[in-house]
């Protein structure tokens, strides 16, 4: 039998209950004997600029959890509201960590993402099992289970996706004030047409990922092919 999530959560509209499919991974982990289940997710693998950010969230049992969702399915206002609700849960543990541009260029984006995830988990005071979004992550400090599209399957991972997204968006808005003209506040570092045009016009900043091809080709343009006349 799956452990009871908490009668209060079942009675309050707007909170998850044990009947919600989004709680199944946590309920199954509790049933296996684990107590502190950390959901881990990242944001920022694809952009041409800025760090990759990971978050880890451990919700306690027996208290209502916010009705979270995959951050990509939420508006900015919804993410901000849910971020505040996540932090307001009594006894919740939340950690955020980054891997910077230099680490991304040195380690590659996959390894840098895993580094940020490990950093986030290591900040938590109590954790004995990890639910991680996507594919398995090597060298995590606790037993883990990888869930493809986990931010749509696990409440803890969904909460981590919201925290990570809000944190990174704020970072990119700050970078927009430091490096005006690139539009970081609008596209958050992704390779939009306007971002690529700004890169070509203004050049590469210290917060651009030099190992990513569009940036690398501006720094070292490919040699022109010779033209042969016949």
């Amino acid at each position: 039998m799956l452990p009871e999530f908490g009668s209060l959560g079942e009675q309050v509209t707007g909170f998850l209950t044990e009947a919600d499919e989004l709680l199944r991974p946590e309920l199954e982990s509790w049933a296996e004997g684990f107590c502190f289940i950390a959901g881990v997710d990242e944001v920022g693998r694809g952009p041409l600029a800025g760090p990759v950010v990971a978050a880890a969230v451990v919700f306690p049992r027996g208290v209502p959890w916010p009705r979270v969702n995959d951050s990509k399915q939420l508006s900015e206002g919804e993410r901000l509201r849910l971020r505040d609700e996540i932090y307001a849960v009594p006894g919740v543990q939340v950690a955020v960590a980054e891997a910077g541009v230099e680490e991304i260029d040195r380690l590659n984006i996959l390894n840098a993402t895993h580094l940020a995830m490990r950093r986030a988990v290591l900040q938590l005071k109590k954790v004995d099992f990890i639910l991680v979004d996507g594919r398995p992550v090597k060298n995590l400090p606790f037993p883990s289970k990888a869930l493809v599209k986990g931010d749509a399957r696990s409440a803890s991972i969904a909460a981590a996706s919201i925290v990570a997204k809000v944190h990174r968006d704020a970072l990119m808005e700050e970078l927009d004030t430091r490096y005006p003209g690139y539009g970081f506040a609008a596209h958050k570092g992704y390779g939009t047409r306007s971002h690529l045009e700004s890169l070509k016009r203004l050049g590469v900043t210290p917060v651009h990922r030099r190992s990513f091809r569009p940036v690398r080709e501006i720094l070292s343009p490919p040699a022109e092919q010779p033209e042969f006349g016949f």
Side-chain angles (χ1 to χ4, degrees):
M1 178 181 295
L2 293 173
E4 183 178 356
F5 177 61
S7 58
L8 180 59
E10 296 171 7
Q11 296 169 3
V12 179
T13 302
F15 289 95
L16 293 169
T17 77
E18 65 180 55
D20 284 289
E21 189 64 22
L22 205 61
L23 275 174
R24 178 159 296 278
E26 288 80 3
L27 291 168
E28 291 175 348
S29 299
W30 284 330
E32 292 173 5
F34 296 105
C35 296
F36 301 97
I37 315 300
V40 179
D41 200 4
E42 55 74 28
V43 64
R45 287 181 61 170
L48 305 180
V52 60
V53 174
V57 175
V58 180
F59 284 123
R61 295 171 64 177
V63 299
W65 295 10
R67 186 165 291 280
V68 292
N69 195 359
D70 173 7
S71 65
K72 296 185 291 295
Q73 304 302 318
L74 302 170
S75 68
E76 180 180 2
E78 290 170 331
R79 287 193 296 268
L80 289 169
R81 174 180 58 80
L82 283 167
R83 187 274 313 271
D84 291 344
E85 291 183 7
I86 290 165
Y87 274 93
V89 172
V92 71
Q93 299 179 68
V94 182
V96 181
E98 304 170 16
V101 171
E102 299 82 1
E103 291 171 316
I104 293 170
D105 289 337
R106 175 166 49 86
L107 300 173
N108 76 43
I109 185 59
L110 179 62
N111 289 329
T113 299
H114 291 179
L115 175 62
M117 288 179 165
R118 288 194 295 274
R119 285 172 172 167
V121 171
L122 288 170
Q123 292 181 43
L124 300 170
K125 293 182 178 180
K126 292 183 178 180
V127 56
D128 55 11
F129 193 75
I130 301 167
L131 296 171
V132 60
D133 181 55
R135 300 294 181 181
V137 177
K138 295 180 180 179
N139 301 320
L140 286 174
F142 302 97
S144 65
K145 180 178 181 179
L147 296 176
V148 175
K149 297 184 179 179
D151 44 10
R153 297 170 60 190
S154 158
S156 300
I157 295 176
S161 78
I162 292 167
V163 171
K165 173 66 173 169
V166 171
H167 181 91
R168 190 177 189 278
D169 283 358
L171 286 176
M172 297 310 297
E173 290 166 8
E174 179 184 346
L175 290 179
D176 188 65
T177 64
R178 291 169 54 188
Y179 302 99
Y182 291 89
F184 289 143
H187 54 63
K188 305 303 188 287
Y190 283 89
T192 63
R193 176 179 296 180
S194 64
H195 188 186
L196 294 174
E197 290 173 351
S198 299
L199 263 173
K200 293 175 183 177
R201 186 177 70 255
L202 302 173
V204 176
T205 73
V207 297
H208 278 99
R209 302 173 181 179
R210 284 158 169 72
S211 57
F212 280 41
R213 188 172 69 179
V215 180
R216 188 172 65 245
E217 289 185 349
I218 289 175
L219 291 168
S220 301
E224 294 185 6
Q225 296 295 320
E227 296 183 6
F228 298 96
F230 295 96

